[in-house]
Every structure is written in structure tokens, then in C-alpha cells.
Amino acid sequence: MLKLCLQPNTVTFNTLINGLCIGGKVAQAVQLFDDMARDGYQPNFVTYSTIVNGLCKIGDTTGGKGIQPDVVTYNPLIHAMCNSGQWKEVVALLEEMLANNCKPNVFSYTTLVDALCKEGRMDDARKVLKLMIIRGCVPNVYSYTILVNGYCKYKRVDEAMEVFREMSQNGSFPNTVTYNALINGMSQLGRLLVAQDLLKEMCAHGPVPNMITYSTLLHGFCKCHGPRVLRCILHPCGTPRSPITPQGQPLSPTSSPRPVLGVTQAWSYIQGIGTF
């Protein structure tokens, strides 16, 4: 092909790698795989699957070379299978890993948690996290944040809060993304007092709030209190003014106290004060 100035593609490499594996030349297949990646060709699911299957078949029967798949070999395949929804194959692959004395690592489990959350299978995702801990693999902040965000996405904020508290107890402390996910979930459901407490907690003990933190809270206030929040905040001089009704009339504090309070709080947040 090269002599004819024809460029190979991923399918070409996959065919060659598969032929080498079938012929028991797995070491050469691995070398070709490395060459493929080095030369800028993108391996796909078939590539990884073929390599892993070839490595699993030969085990320690390669003339003392001992080529054995490790967790780094398996993880891309787990990721590809999860993305394509091949759950039976994922389970079989995990069992195969354990049979080969290859323990899944935090990336392996987090990949599973992420894929399950994206499909709305939150109970299964929580089970994977618990299984992860039972098997001695400590979840990291990304593992927990993915689960917190998933619960919030499906409006299961109480369970999100449980996971949020659990992560600190297990020595993995939430970051700004974790807080933002939970604040967003609470704000979307109108639980602004809880969202406020989370921001106060961030300011006192946690990571630094960012623009997403404040804009999320502002959106929550606007959603709950309507256009009066924006009409109050978006003043040409950049300072708050007395709330007005949609008809342009001054709003009496006694006629609607909750929106007035919401305006004050929203303005405090957008200024980055975060205190009341």
C-alpha cells in the first residue's frame, strides 16, 4: 500500500492486528498498535477489543515474555463499551479482569458510574460506588461529583446531599464543581435556603465560588421571584433600586415581602458578597 502511495486507515490496521492475534503473534500486534497511535491513527473499539482479546488468550504462553493485559489496557475498552451501552459485555469484562488478577482502579469504576448516570440508572450507579469501596478502591472527588450531578439532574437532590456528605466522611472533599452541581439542583427545585447554606459553607470552609456558582443562584432567584428580580438588578447605573411591578409601579414591601427579600439576596450574590 505504501509503495502505491495508498494511506492505511483504522480499518486497515484493525485487519492486520486481528490477523496477527489469530496467528499468535500478539507481541507484533501490540507493536503495530503502538505504531498506529504514534503515527496519528485513532484506535477504535474494534482495535482495543482485538488487542485485549489477543492478550487474554496468550496469558503467560509467549515464550517467557509474559505479556499480560493490565488495568491500563482494559480501561479504554470499558469506556468504549459503556459509551455504546454494552452492559453485559462490561460485566463480563470486569469478571475477566478479576479472573486475570487485574483489579479495576478508580478510573474503571468512575467510568461505569458516569455511564450509568448518563442513562438515568442512578441506583445502579450508587451500587457501583459502594462496590468500589467494598473492594478497597477509594472513590475520588470526580467519582462523587459525577454521582451528585446525576442525582441533581434527575431531581433527586436529597440523595445527592447524602452522597455529598458521605464523600467528606470518606476523605474526599468536594470541589467547586461538586458544590455548583448541588447548588444548581437545589435552586432548580426552589430550595434556595439550602442553596444559600451551601454557598455560605463554600465561603467558610470549602473551595472558592466562581461565576457559575453566583449565576446559578441568581437564576434560581429569578425563577422563583419572576422578572422583578431582573428589573431591580439591571439598573443602568449598576446599583439596585426599589422593586417595581411589571406595570412599572413601585412595589410595596408589605404587599409582597418574599420577592423583595429575593431581590436583596440576589443582588448580594451577584456582587459576590454571599452574606445577609
Side-chain angles (χ1 to χ4, degrees):
M1 287 183 67
L2 296 177
K3 289 181 179 179
L4 295 173
C5 297
L6 298 175
Q7 291 297 318
N9 57 19
T10 302
V11 176
T12 311
F13 280 105
N14 287 349
T15 303
L16 291 171
I17 289 171
N18 185 56
L20 290 169
C21 288
I22 291 173
K25 299 178 180 180
V26 179
Q28 293 182 33
V30 172
Q31 182 60 54
L32 183 58
F33 174 83
D34 292 339
D35 293 342
M36 174 184 179
R38 182 199 64 206
D39 294 338
Y41 295 95
Q42 184 64 46
N44 59 16
F45 171 78
V46 176
T47 320
Y48 287 116
S49 179
T50 303
I51 287 289
V52 170
N53 287 335
L55 290 168
C56 291
K57 286 178 181 178
I58 61 172
D60 289 322
T61 63
T62 58
K65 292 184 179 180
I67 297 176
Q68 186 74 11
D70 59 11
V71 68
V72 177
T73 312
Y74 280 109
N75 280 343
L77 189 55
I78 291 173
H79 185 266
M81 287 180 171
C82 286
N83 284 346
S84 58
Q86 296 177 288
W87 298 111
K88 290 183 179 179
E89 289 80 359
V90 170
V91 172
L93 188 60
L94 289 171
E95 291 175 349
E96 182 180 291
M97 288 178 71
L98 295 173
N100 288 334
N101 294 318
C102 179
K103 292 184 178 180
N105 62 12
V106 65
F107 181 84
S108 314
Y109 287 112
T110 302
T111 299
L112 277 170
V113 171
D114 184 42
L116 290 167
C117 287
K118 287 177 179 176
E119 290 205 356
R121 298 173 58 177
M122 298 307 305
D123 293 337
D124 289 333
R126 186 80 177 269
K127 288 177 183 177
V128 170
L129 193 76
K130 291 180 178 179
L131 178 64
M132 182 179 181
I133 297 171
I134 291 171
R135 290 185 173 173
C137 184
V138 180
N140 59 22
V141 63
Y142 302 105
S143 313
Y144 283 111
T145 299
I146 287 169
L147 195 58
V148 168
N149 186 61
Y151 274 129
C152 290
K153 179 180 177 181
Y154 293 100
K155 304 184 187 306
R156 297 169 63 173
V157 292
D158 291 326
E159 288 160 292
M161 183 63 84
E162 287 178 10
V163 175
F164 180 79
R165 297 306 179 196
E166 178 186 309
M167 67 185 295
S168 297
Q169 296 170 2
N170 290 338
S172 181
F173 298 99
N175 59 17
T176 302
V177 178
T178 319
Y179 274 101
N180 285 351
L182 195 52
I183 288 172
N184 181 60
M186 294 296 177
S187 298
Q188 289 296 316
L189 295 180
R191 296 174 63 173
L192 296 176
L193 289 177
V194 179
Q196 290 171 207
D197 288 340
L198 286 166
L199 179 60
K200 290 178 182 178
E201 184 178 313
M202 284 183 79
C203 295
H205 309 293
V208 178
N210 59 17
M211 182 58 67
I212 295 175
T213 316
Y214 294 118
S215 61
T216 298
L217 275 163
L218 179 60
H219 178 75
F221 281 116
C222 291
K223 183 178 179 180
C224 289
H225 300 302
R228 277 174 281 197
V229 173
L230 287 177
R231 291 173 70 87
C232 175
I233 292 174
L234 299 180
H235 187 268
C237 298
T239 56
R241 57 180 175 179
S242 299
I244 57 175
T245 66
Q247 291 75 31
Q249 300 299 318
L251 179 66
S252 170
T254 57
S255 63
S256 183
R258 288 181 59 84
V260 173
L261 179 62
V263 168
T264 304
Q265 291 172 327
W267 180 249
S268 297
Y269 277 123
I270 203 64
Q271 287 182 307
I273 297 173
T275 58
F276 313 102

